[in-house]
Amino acid sequence: MSRAQIVRAYLKAIEQRKDVTAFYTRDVVQEEFPNLLSPTGARREFADLKAAGKRGQSALKSETYEIVSLVEAGDVIACEILWRGVLAVALRSLKPGDEMRARFAAFFEFDGDKIRRQRNYDCFEPF
């Protein structure tokens, strides 16, 4: 499987609410840069990613990741992603069942066929 296929499978697994830890190296680091949901950003390691995935699943009824563009350069995959999430809980001006939308720029660095580092620049539409 190519790294581009791995990224697509990873995002599909998140949509399907599957455990995605098999996609990561044990020393994985994910950085989320400041955005509307995380004003100070976040840095997550393996255990943190598992916990964050569960929190996301409880806040959302569903979510989709549409890859708008994908570029591969050596061990790095860069993606522009259109994200949509249907809320399970109220959030600011939104109520359960409302849809949130965002554009993500995500950079995945690989070690072999595993994600070793992920950097997200998430731009949420106002809510």
Side-chain angles (χ1 to χ4, degrees):
M1 184 179 303
S2 73
R3 290 178 173 148
Q5 290 170 318
I6 292 168
V7 167
R8 291 179 191 283
Y10 167 72
L11 296 174
K12 186 56 73 180
I14 295 171
E15 287 180 354
Q16 295 171 347
R17 300 178 172 248
K18 294 181 178 177
D19 179 4
V20 295
T21 55
F23 287 92
Y24 303 133
T25 62
R26 294 300 291 173
D27 64 344
V28 67
V29 173
Q30 187 251 358
E31 291 179 278
E32 178 182 348
F33 291 90
N35 59 68
L36 284 175
L37 286 181
S38 184
T40 60
R43 184 179 192 280
R44 299 178 185 95
E45 295 179 359
F46 190 86
D48 306 318
L49 285 166
K50 194 169 189 170
K54 289 182 187 212
R55 282 192 307 274
Q57 287 182 3
S58 67
L60 296 168
K61 288 182 181 178
S62 65
E63 61 187 315
T64 59
Y65 293 80
E66 177 187 336
I67 296 176
V68 176
S69 63
L70 182 147
V71 177
E72 186 169 358
D75 292 337
V76 178
I77 299 283
C79 294
E80 178 186 359
I81 301 164
L82 175 58
W83 175 86
R84 294 178 183 92
V86 177
L87 289 170
V89 298
L91 179 65
R92 296 185 189 167
S93 65
L94 301 174
K95 58 190 180 305
D98 284 350
E99 181 181 86
M100 293 179 66
R101 293 171 52 106
R103 293 272 181 167
F104 295 167
F107 298 83
F108 302 90
E109 291 180 23
F110 281 80
D111 182 0
D113 62 352
K114 304 281 184 185
I115 299 167
R116 180 176 50 85
R117 187 172 183 102
Q118 180 180 340
R119 292 182 313 282
N120 278 54
Y121 301 83
D122 303 341
C123 299
F124 290 90
E125 291 183 3
F127 55 92

